[in-house]
Amino acid sequence: MCTIPPALLALALSGCVAGLMADAGSVGMSGKTLADHALDTLTGMDCRIVEGMTRPDRNICEPRGSLATMHDYKGFGLPPVDPTYEPPPHSR
């Protein structure tokens, strides 16, 4: 039987745990995994892998602000986006 030294096991698991914690923090704040953010950058679109695979009305990558993206989970760190909001005109 092969045994793994505890220090090596702890090092391997710490990388795994750190990655999972980073992803969990990202999903909590923005509703997107780190991979989703990378796809956003590469495609210029709004990408959500899990929602694209689980929702029939959404592709993995959709145009930003499209109807399909309105029901996406946005995380607890950002206020919901109202697509009809228009900022008030500046008064001087």
Side-chain angles (χ1 to χ4, degrees):
M1 178 175 210
C2 177
T3 59
I4 300 173
L8 184 59
L9 182 61
L11 185 62
L13 288 178
S14 68
C16 234
V17 170
L20 288 173
M21 287 178 64
D23 245 355
S26 178
V27 170
M29 292 303 291
S30 69
K32 295 183 175 203
T33 65
L34 297 176
D36 294 338
H37 286 293
L39 279 174
D40 284 0
T41 301
L42 290 172
T43 65
M45 299 177 83
D46 186 341
C47 300
R48 292 171 188 264
I49 297 167
V50 172
E51 292 204 39
M53 291 172 54
T54 58
R55 287 182 32 208
D57 66 322
R58 194 191 201 296
N59 293 320
I60 291 175
C61 292
E62 292 277 352
R64 293 183 194 277
S66 70
L67 196 55
T69 64
M70 288 180 56
H71 301 289
D72 291 346
Y73 172 67
K74 306 288 195 250
F76 62 83
L78 301 172
V81 175
D82 178 3
T84 62
Y85 174 77
E86 299 230 4
H90 292 312
S91 57
R92 290 184 180 210

Coordinates of all heavy atoms in Angstrom, one line a residue:
M1 N 0.8 -1.2 0.0 CA 0.0 0.0 0.0 C 0.9 1.2 0.0 O 1.9 1.3 0.7 CB -0.9 -0.1 1.2 CG -1.8 1.2 1.4 SD -2.9 0.9 2.8 CE -4.2 1.8 2.2
C2 N 0.5 2.2 -0.8 CA 1.3 3.5 -0.9 C 0.7 4.5 0.1 O -0.5 4.7 0.3 CB 1.1 4.0 -2.3 SG 1.9 5.6 -2.5
T3 N 1.6 5.0 0.9 CA 1.2 6.1 1.8 C 1.8 7.4 1.4 O 2.9 7.5 0.9 CB 1.7 5.8 3.3 OG1 3.2 5.7 3.2 CG2 1.2 4.5 3.8
I4 N 1.0 8.4 1.6 CA 1.3 9.8 1.2 C 1.8 10.5 2.5 O 1.0 10.5 3.5 CB 0.2 10.5 0.5 CG1 -0.3 9.8 -0.7 CG2 0.5 11.9 0.2 CD1 -1.5 10.3 -1.4
P5 N 3.0 11.1 2.5 CA 3.4 11.9 3.7 C 2.4 13.0 4.0 O 1.9 13.6 3.1 CB 4.7 12.5 3.3 CG 5.2 11.7 2.1 CD 3.9 11.2 1.4
P6 N 2.0 13.1 5.3 CA 1.0 14.1 5.7 C 1.3 15.6 5.1 O 0.4 16.3 4.7 CB 1.1 14.1 7.2 CG 1.6 12.7 7.5 CD 2.5 12.4 6.4
A7 N 2.6 15.9 5.1 CA 2.9 17.3 4.6 C 2.6 17.4 3.2 O 2.1 18.5 2.7 CB 4.4 17.6 4.9
L8 N 2.9 16.4 2.4 CA 2.6 16.4 0.9 C 1.0 16.5 0.7 O 0.5 17.2 -0.1 CB 3.2 15.2 0.2 CG 3.0 15.2 -1.3 CD1 3.7 16.4 -1.9 CD2 3.7 13.9 -1.8
L9 N 0.3 15.7 1.5 CA -1.1 15.6 1.4 C -1.7 17.0 1.8 O -2.6 17.5 1.1 CB -1.7 14.5 2.3 CG -3.2 14.4 2.3 CD1 -3.7 14.0 0.9 CD2 -3.6 13.3 3.3
A10 N -1.2 17.6 2.8 CA -1.7 18.9 3.2 C -1.4 20.0 2.2 O -2.3 20.8 1.9 CB -1.1 19.3 4.6
L11 N -0.3 19.9 1.5 CA 0.1 20.9 0.5 C -0.8 20.7 -0.7 O -1.3 21.7 -1.2 CB 1.5 20.7 0.1 CG 2.1 21.7 -0.9 CD1 2.1 23.1 -0.3 CD2 3.5 21.3 -1.3
A12 N -1.1 19.5 -1.1 CA -2.0 19.2 -2.2 C -3.4 19.7 -2.0 O -4.0 20.3 -2.8 CB -2.0 17.7 -2.6
L13 N -3.9 19.4 -0.8 CA -5.2 19.8 -0.4 C -5.4 21.3 -0.2 O -6.4 21.8 -0.5 CB -5.7 19.0 0.9 CG -6.0 17.5 0.7 CD1 -6.3 16.9 2.0 CD2 -7.1 17.3 -0.3
S14 N -4.3 21.9 0.2 CA -4.4 23.4 0.4 C -4.6 24.1 -0.9 O -5.4 25.0 -1.0 CB -3.2 23.9 1.2 OG -2.1 23.8 0.3
G15 N -4.0 23.6 -1.9 CA -4.2 24.2 -3.3 C -5.6 24.0 -3.7 O -6.3 24.9 -4.3
C16 N -6.1 22.8 -3.5 CA -7.5 22.5 -3.9 C -8.5 23.3 -3.1 O -9.4 23.9 -3.6 CB -7.8 21.0 -3.5 SG -8.4 20.0 -4.9
V17 N -8.3 23.4 -1.8 CA -9.2 24.2 -0.9 C -9.1 25.6 -1.3 O -10.2 26.3 -1.4 CB -8.9 23.9 0.5 CG1 -9.6 24.9 1.4 CG2 -9.2 22.5 0.9
A18 N -7.9 26.1 -1.6 CA -7.8 27.6 -1.9 C -8.5 27.9 -3.2 O -9.2 28.9 -3.3 CB -6.3 27.9 -2.0
G19 N -8.5 27.0 -4.2 CA -9.2 27.2 -5.4 C -10.7 27.1 -5.2 O -11.4 28.0 -5.8
L20 N -11.1 26.2 -4.4 CA -12.6 26.1 -4.2 C -13.1 27.3 -3.4 O -14.2 27.9 -3.6 CB -12.9 24.8 -3.4 CG -12.8 23.6 -4.1 CD1 -13.0 22.4 -3.2 CD2 -13.8 23.5 -5.3
M21 N -12.3 27.8 -2.5 CA -12.6 29.0 -1.7 C -12.7 30.2 -2.6 O -13.6 31.1 -2.5 CB -11.7 29.2 -0.5 CG -11.9 28.2 0.6 SD -10.7 28.4 1.9 CE -11.2 30.0 2.6
A22 N -11.7 30.4 -3.5 CA -11.7 31.5 -4.4 C -13.0 31.4 -5.3 O -13.6 32.5 -5.6 CB -10.5 31.5 -5.3
D23 N -13.3 30.3 -5.8 CA -14.5 30.1 -6.6 C -15.8 30.4 -5.8 O -16.7 31.1 -6.3 CB -14.6 28.7 -7.2 CG -14.5 28.7 -8.7 OD1 -14.4 29.7 -9.4 OD2 -14.5 27.6 -9.3
A24 N -15.8 29.9 -4.6 CA -17.0 30.2 -3.8 C -17.2 31.7 -3.5 O -18.3 32.2 -3.5 CB -16.9 29.4 -2.5
G25 N -16.1 32.4 -3.2 CA -16.1 33.8 -3.0 C -16.5 34.5 -4.2 O -17.3 35.5 -4.2
S26 N -16.1 34.1 -5.4 CA -16.4 34.7 -6.6 C -17.9 34.6 -6.9 O -18.6 35.5 -7.3 CB -15.6 34.2 -7.8 OG -16.0 34.7 -9.0
V27 N -18.4 33.3 -6.7 CA -19.9 33.1 -7.0 C -20.7 33.9 -6.0 O -21.7 34.5 -6.3 CB -20.2 31.6 -6.9 CG1 -21.7 31.3 -6.8 CG2 -19.5 30.8 -8.0
G28 N -20.2 33.9 -4.7 CA -21.0 34.7 -3.7 C -21.1 36.2 -4.0 O -22.1 36.8 -3.8
M29 N -20.0 36.7 -4.5 CA -20.0 38.2 -4.8 C -20.6 38.6 -6.2 O -21.3 39.6 -6.3 CB -18.6 38.7 -4.7 CG -18.0 38.7 -3.3 SD -19.0 39.6 -2.1 CE -18.8 41.2 -2.6
S30 N -20.4 37.7 -7.2 CA -20.8 38.1 -8.5 C -21.8 37.2 -9.2 O -22.3 37.4 -10.2 CB -19.6 38.3 -9.4 OG -19.0 37.0 -9.7
G31 N -21.9 36.0 -8.6 CA -22.8 34.9 -9.2 C -22.0 34.1 -10.3 O -22.6 33.3 -10.9
K32 N -20.8 34.4 -10.5 CA -20.0 33.7 -11.5 C -18.7 33.1 -10.9 O -18.1 33.6 -10.0 CB -19.5 34.7 -12.5 CG -20.6 35.4 -13.3 CD -20.0 36.3 -14.4 CE -21.1 36.8 -15.3 NZ -20.6 37.2 -16.5
T33 N -18.4 31.9 -11.5 CA -17.1 31.3 -11.1 C -16.0 32.0 -11.8 O -16.2 32.8 -12.7 CB -17.1 29.8 -11.6 OG1 -17.1 29.7 -13.0 CG2 -18.3 29.0 -11.0
L34 N -14.8 31.6 -11.4 CA -13.6 32.2 -12.0 C -13.5 31.8 -13.5 O -13.1 32.7 -14.4 CB -12.3 31.8 -11.3 CG -12.2 32.2 -9.8 CD1 -11.0 31.7 -9.2 CD2 -12.3 33.7 -9.7
A35 N -14.0 30.6 -13.9 CA -14.0 30.2 -15.3 C -15.0 31.1 -16.1 O -14.7 31.4 -17.2 CB -14.3 28.7 -15.4
D36 N -16.1 31.4 -15.4 CA -17.1 32.2 -16.1 C -16.5 33.6 -16.4 O -16.7 34.2 -17.5 CB -18.3 32.5 -15.2 CG -19.2 31.2 -15.0 OD1 -19.1 30.2 -15.8 OD2 -19.9 31.2 -14.0
H37 N -15.8 34.2 -15.4 CA -15.1 35.5 -15.6 C -14.1 35.4 -16.8 O -14.0 36.3 -17.6 CB -14.5 36.0 -14.3 CG -15.4 36.5 -13.3 ND1 -16.2 37.6 -13.5 CD2 -15.8 36.0 -12.1 CE1 -17.0 37.8 -12.4 NE2 -16.7 36.8 -11.6
A38 N -13.4 34.3 -16.8 CA -12.4 34.1 -17.9 C -13.0 34.1 -19.2 O -12.6 34.7 -20.2 CB -11.5 32.9 -17.6
L39 N -14.1 33.3 -19.3 CA -14.9 33.3 -20.6 C -15.5 34.6 -21.0 O -15.5 35.0 -22.2 CB -16.0 32.2 -20.5 CG -15.7 30.8 -20.7 CD1 -16.9 29.9 -20.4 CD2 -15.2 30.5 -22.1
D40 N -15.9 35.4 -20.0 CA -16.4 36.8 -20.3 C -15.3 37.6 -21.0 O -15.6 38.3 -21.9 CB -16.7 37.5 -19.0 CG -18.1 37.0 -18.3 OD1 -18.7 36.2 -18.9 OD2 -18.4 37.6 -17.3
T41 N -14.1 37.5 -20.4 CA -13.0 38.3 -20.9 C -12.6 37.8 -22.4 O -12.4 38.6 -23.2 CB -11.8 38.1 -20.0 OG1 -12.1 38.6 -18.7 CG2 -10.6 38.9 -20.5
L42 N -12.6 36.5 -22.6 CA -12.3 36.0 -23.9 C -13.3 36.2 -25.0 O -13.0 36.5 -26.1 CB -12.0 34.5 -23.8 CG -10.8 34.0 -23.0 CD1 -10.8 32.5 -22.9 CD2 -9.5 34.5 -23.8
T43 N -14.6 36.2 -24.6 CA -15.7 36.3 -25.6 C -16.3 37.7 -25.7 O -16.9 38.0 -26.7 CB -16.8 35.3 -25.3 OG1 -17.4 35.6 -24.0 CG2 -16.3 33.9 -25.3
G44 N -16.2 38.5 -24.6 CA -16.8 39.8 -24.6 C -18.3 39.6 -24.3 O -19.1 40.6 -24.5
M45 N -18.7 38.4 -23.9 CA -20.2 38.2 -23.6 C -20.4 37.9 -22.1 O -19.4 37.8 -21.4 CB -20.6 37.0 -24.5 CG -20.5 37.3 -26.0 SD -21.0 35.9 -27.0 CE -22.8 36.1 -27.0
D46 N -21.6 37.7 -21.7 CA -21.9 37.3 -20.4 C -22.0 35.8 -20.3 O -23.0 35.2 -20.8 CB -23.3 37.9 -20.0 CG -23.6 37.7 -18.5 OD1 -23.0 36.8 -17.9 OD2 -24.5 38.4 -18.0
C47 N -21.0 35.1 -19.7 CA -20.9 33.7 -19.7 C -21.2 33.1 -18.3 O -20.6 33.6 -17.3 CB -19.6 33.2 -20.2 SG -19.2 33.8 -21.9
R48 N -22.0 32.1 -18.2 CA -22.3 31.3 -17.0 C -22.4 29.9 -17.4 O -23.4 29.5 -17.9 CB -23.5 31.9 -16.3 CG -23.3 33.3 -15.8 CD -24.7 33.9 -15.4 NE -24.5 35.3 -15.1 CZ -24.3 35.7 -13.8 NH1 -24.3 34.9 -12.8 NH2 -24.2 37.0 -13.6
I49 N -21.4 29.1 -17.0 CA -21.4 27.7 -17.5 C -22.5 26.9 -16.9 O -23.3 26.2 -17.6 CB -20.0 27.1 -17.1 CG1 -18.9 27.8 -17.9 CG2 -20.0 25.6 -17.4 CD1 -17.5 27.4 -17.4
V50 N -22.7 27.0 -15.5 CA -23.8 26.2 -14.9 C -25.1 26.6 -15.3 O -26.0 25.7 -15.7 CB -23.6 26.2 -13.3 CG1 -24.8 25.6 -12.7 CG2 -22.3 25.6 -12.9
E51 N -25.4 27.9 -15.4 CA -26.7 28.3 -15.8 C -27.0 28.0 -17.3 O -28.1 27.6 -17.6 CB -26.9 29.8 -15.6 CG -26.9 30.1 -14.1 CD -27.6 31.4 -13.7 OE1 -28.7 31.7 -14.3 OE2 -27.2 32.1 -12.8
G52 N -26.0 28.0 -18.1 CA -26.1 27.6 -19.5 C -26.4 26.2 -19.7 O -27.1 25.8 -20.6
M53 N -25.9 25.3 -18.7 CA -26.2 23.9 -18.8 C -27.5 23.5 -18.1 O -28.0 22.4 -18.5 CB -25.0 23.2 -18.1 CG -23.7 23.3 -18.9 SD -22.3 22.6 -18.1 CE -22.8 21.0 -17.7
T54 N -28.0 24.3 -17.2 CA -29.2 23.9 -16.5 C -30.5 24.6 -16.9 O -31.5 24.1 -16.5 CB -29.0 24.1 -15.0 OG1 -28.7 25.4 -14.7 CG2 -27.8 23.2 -14.5
R55 N -30.4 25.7 -17.5 CA -31.5 26.5 -17.9 C -31.8 26.4 -19.4 O -30.9 26.7 -20.2 CB -31.4 28.0 -17.6 CG -31.5 28.2 -16.1 CD -31.4 29.7 -15.7 NE -31.9 30.6 -16.7 CZ -31.4 31.8 -16.8 NH1 -30.5 32.3 -16.0 NH2 -31.9 32.7 -17.7
P56 N -33.0 25.9 -19.9 CA -33.2 25.8 -21.3 C -33.3 27.1 -22.0 O -33.1 27.2 -23.2 CB -34.5 25.0 -21.4 CG -35.2 25.3 -20.0 CD -34.1 25.5 -19.0
D57 N -33.5 28.2 -21.3 CA -33.7 29.5 -22.0 C -32.3 30.3 -22.1 O -32.3 31.4 -22.5 CB -34.7 30.4 -21.2 CG -34.2 30.7 -19.8 OD1 -33.6 29.9 -19.1 OD2 -34.4 31.9 -19.4
R58 N -31.2 29.6 -21.6 CA -29.9 30.4 -21.6 C -28.8 29.5 -22.2 O -28.7 28.3 -21.9 CB -29.6 30.7 -20.1 CG -28.4 31.7 -20.1 CD -27.9 31.9 -18.7 NE -27.2 33.1 -18.5 CZ -26.0 33.5 -19.1 NH1 -25.5 32.7 -20.0 NH2 -25.5 34.6 -18.8
N59 N -28.0 30.1 -23.1 CA -26.8 29.5 -23.5 C -25.7 29.8 -22.6 O -25.8 30.7 -21.7 CB -26.4 30.1 -24.9 CG -27.4 29.7 -26.0 OD1 -27.9 28.5 -26.0 ND2 -27.7 30.6 -26.9
I60 N -24.6 29.1 -22.7 CA -23.5 29.4 -21.8 C -23.0 30.8 -21.9 O -22.8 31.5 -20.9 CB -22.3 28.4 -22.0 CG1 -22.8 27.0 -21.5 CG2 -21.1 28.8 -21.3 CD1 -21.8 25.9 -21.8
C61 N -22.9 31.3 -23.1 CA -22.5 32.7 -23.3 C -23.6 33.4 -24.0 O -24.1 32.9 -25.1 CB -21.2 32.8 -24.1 SG -19.8 32.3 -23.2
E62 N -24.1 34.5 -23.5 CA -25.2 35.3 -24.1 C -24.7 36.8 -24.2 O -23.8 37.2 -23.5 CB -26.4 35.4 -23.1 CG -27.1 34.1 -23.0 CD -28.1 33.8 -24.1 OE1 -28.3 34.7 -24.9 OE2 -28.6 32.7 -24.1
P63 N -25.3 37.6 -25.1 CA -24.9 39.0 -25.2 C -25.2 39.7 -23.9 O -26.2 39.4 -23.2 CB -25.8 39.5 -26.3 CG -26.2 38.3 -27.1 CD -26.2 37.2 -26.2
R64 N -24.4 40.5 -23.4 CA -24.6 41.3 -22.2 C -25.9 42.0 -22.2 O -26.2 42.7 -23.2 CB -23.4 42.2 -21.9 CG -22.1 41.5 -21.7 CD -21.0 42.5 -21.3 NE -19.7 41.9 -21.4 CZ -19.2 41.2 -20.5 NH1 -19.8 41.0 -19.3 NH2 -18.0 40.7 -20.6
G65 N -26.6 41.9 -21.1 CA -27.9 42.6 -21.0 C -29.1 42.0 -21.8 O -30.1 42.6 -21.9
S66 N -28.9 40.8 -22.4 CA -29.9 40.2 -23.1 C -31.0 39.7 -22.2 O -30.8 39.6 -20.9 CB -29.4 39.0 -24.0 OG -29.0 38.0 -23.1
L67 N -32.2 39.4 -22.7 CA -33.3 38.9 -21.9 C -32.9 37.6 -21.1 O -33.3 37.5 -20.0 CB -34.5 38.6 -22.9 CG -35.8 38.5 -22.2 CD1 -36.2 39.7 -21.4 CD2 -36.9 38.3 -23.3
A68 N -32.1 36.8 -21.7 CA -31.8 35.5 -21.0 C -30.9 35.8 -19.8 O -30.9 35.0 -18.8 CB -31.0 34.6 -22.0
T69 N -30.2 36.9 -19.7 CA -29.3 37.2 -18.6 C -30.0 37.8 -17.4 O -29.5 37.9 -16.3 CB -28.1 38.0 -19.0 OG1 -28.6 39.3 -19.4 CG2 -27.3 37.4 -20.1
M70 N -31.3 38.3 -17.6 CA -32.0 39.0 -16.6 C -32.3 38.1 -15.4 O -32.4 38.6 -14.3 CB -33.3 39.6 -17.1 CG -33.1 40.7 -18.1 SD -34.6 41.4 -18.7 CE -35.5 41.8 -17.3
H71 N -32.4 36.8 -15.6 CA -32.8 35.9 -14.5 C -31.5 35.2 -13.9 O -31.7 34.3 -13.0 CB -33.8 34.9 -14.9 CG -35.0 35.5 -15.4 ND1 -35.9 36.1 -14.6 CD2 -35.5 35.7 -16.7 CE1 -36.9 36.6 -15.3 NE2 -36.7 36.4 -16.6
D72 N -30.3 35.6 -14.2 CA -29.1 35.0 -13.7 C -29.0 35.4 -12.2 O -29.3 36.5 -11.8 CB -27.9 35.5 -14.4 CG -27.8 35.1 -15.9 OD1 -28.5 34.1 -16.2 OD2 -27.0 35.6 -16.6
Y73 N -28.4 34.4 -11.5 CA -28.0 34.7 -10.1 C -26.9 35.7 -10.1 O -25.9 35.5 -10.8 CB -27.6 33.4 -9.4 CG -27.0 33.6 -8.0 CD1 -27.8 34.1 -7.0 CD2 -25.7 33.4 -7.8 CE1 -27.3 34.3 -5.7 CE2 -25.1 33.6 -6.5 CZ -25.9 34.0 -5.5 OH -25.4 34.3 -4.3
K74 N -27.0 36.8 -9.4 CA -26.0 37.9 -9.4 C -25.2 37.9 -8.2 O -24.3 38.8 -8.0 CB -26.7 39.3 -9.5 CG -27.7 39.4 -10.7 CD -27.0 39.5 -12.0 CE -27.9 39.9 -13.1 NZ -28.2 39.0 -14.1
G75 N -25.3 37.0 -7.3 CA -24.5 37.0 -6.1 C -25.2 37.9 -5.0 O -26.1 38.6 -5.3
F76 N -24.6 37.8 -3.8 CA -25.2 38.6 -2.7 C -24.4 40.0 -2.6 O -24.8 40.8 -1.8 CB -25.2 37.9 -1.4 CG -23.8 37.5 -0.9 CD1 -23.0 38.4 -0.2 CD2 -23.4 36.2 -1.1 CE1 -21.8 38.0 0.2 CE2 -22.1 35.8 -0.7 CZ -21.3 36.7 0.0
G77 N -23.3 40.1 -3.4 CA -22.5 41.3 -3.2 C -22.9 42.5 -4.1 O -22.5 43.6 -3.9
L78 N -23.8 42.2 -5.1 CA -24.2 43.3 -6.0 C -25.7 43.5 -6.0 O -26.4 42.5 -5.9 CB -23.7 42.9 -7.4 CG -22.3 42.6 -7.7 CD1 -22.0 42.1 -9.0 CD2 -21.5 43.9 -7.5
P79 N -26.1 44.7 -6.1 CA -27.6 44.9 -6.1 C -28.1 44.4 -7.4 O -27.4 44.4 -8.4 CB -27.7 46.5 -6.0 CG -26.4 47.0 -6.5 CD -25.4 45.9 -6.1
P80 N -29.4 44.1 -7.5 CA -30.0 43.6 -8.7 C -30.0 44.7 -9.7 O -30.1 45.9 -9.4 CB -31.4 43.3 -8.4 CG -31.6 43.6 -6.9 CD -30.3 44.0 -6.4
V81 N -29.8 44.4 -11.0 CA -29.7 45.3 -12.1 C -31.1 45.5 -12.7 O -31.8 44.6 -13.0 CB -28.7 44.8 -13.1 CG1 -28.7 45.8 -14.3 CG2 -27.3 44.7 -12.6
D82 N -31.5 46.8 -12.8 CA -32.8 47.1 -13.4 C -32.5 47.6 -14.8 O -31.9 48.6 -15.0 CB -33.5 48.2 -12.6 CG -34.8 48.6 -13.3 OD1 -35.2 48.0 -14.3 OD2 -35.5 49.5 -12.7
P83 N -32.8 46.7 -15.9 CA -32.4 47.1 -17.3 C -33.2 48.4 -17.7 O -32.8 49.0 -18.7 CB -32.8 45.9 -18.1 CG -33.8 45.2 -17.3 CD -33.5 45.5 -15.8
T84 N -34.2 48.8 -17.0 CA -35.0 50.0 -17.5 C -34.5 51.3 -16.8 O -35.0 52.3 -17.1 CB -36.5 49.8 -17.2 OG1 -36.7 49.7 -15.8 CG2 -37.0 48.6 -17.9
Y85 N -33.5 51.1 -15.9 CA -33.1 52.3 -15.1 C -32.3 53.3 -16.0 O -31.5 52.9 -16.8 CB -32.1 51.8 -14.0 CG -31.5 53.0 -13.2 CD1 -32.2 53.7 -12.3 CD2 -30.2 53.3 -13.5 CE1 -31.6 54.8 -11.7 CE2 -29.6 54.4 -12.9 CZ -30.3 55.1 -11.9 OH -29.7 56.2 -11.3
E86 N -32.6 54.5 -15.9 CA -31.9 55.6 -16.5 C -31.4 56.6 -15.5 O -32.3 57.0 -14.7 CB -32.8 56.3 -17.6 CG -33.3 55.3 -18.6 CD -33.1 55.9 -20.0 OE1 -32.5 57.0 -20.1 OE2 -33.5 55.2 -20.9
P87 N -30.2 56.9 -15.4 CA -29.7 57.9 -14.4 C -30.4 59.2 -14.6 O -30.7 59.6 -15.8 CB -28.2 57.9 -14.6 CG -28.0 57.4 -15.9 CD -29.1 56.5 -16.3
P88 N -30.6 60.0 -13.5 CA -31.2 61.3 -13.7 C -30.2 62.2 -14.4 O -29.0 62.1 -14.3 CB -31.5 61.7 -12.3 CG -30.6 60.9 -11.4 CD -30.3 59.6 -12.2
P89 N -30.7 63.2 -15.1 CA -29.8 64.2 -15.8 C -29.1 65.0 -14.7 O -29.6 65.2 -13.6 CB -30.8 65.1 -16.6 CG -32.1 64.8 -16.0 CD -32.1 63.5 -15.4
H90 N -27.9 65.4 -15.1 CA -27.1 66.2 -14.2 C -27.7 67.6 -14.0 O -28.1 68.2 -15.0 CB -25.6 66.4 -14.7 CG -24.9 65.1 -14.6 ND1 -24.9 64.2 -13.5 CD2 -24.1 64.5 -15.6 CE1 -24.1 63.2 -13.8 NE2 -23.6 63.3 -15.0
S91 N -27.8 68.1 -12.8 CA -28.3 69.4 -12.6 C -27.1 70.3 -12.1 O -26.4 69.9 -11.2 CB -29.4 69.4 -11.6 OG -29.0 68.9 -10.4
R92 N -26.9 71.4 -12.8 CA -25.8 72.3 -12.5 C -26.3 73.6 -12.2 O -27.2 74.1 -12.6 CB -24.8 72.4 -13.6 CG -24.1 71.1 -13.8 CD -23.0 71.2 -14.9 NE -22.4 69.9 -14.9 CZ -21.2 69.8 -15.3 NH1 -20.4 70.8 -15.6 NH2 -20.6 68.6 -15.4

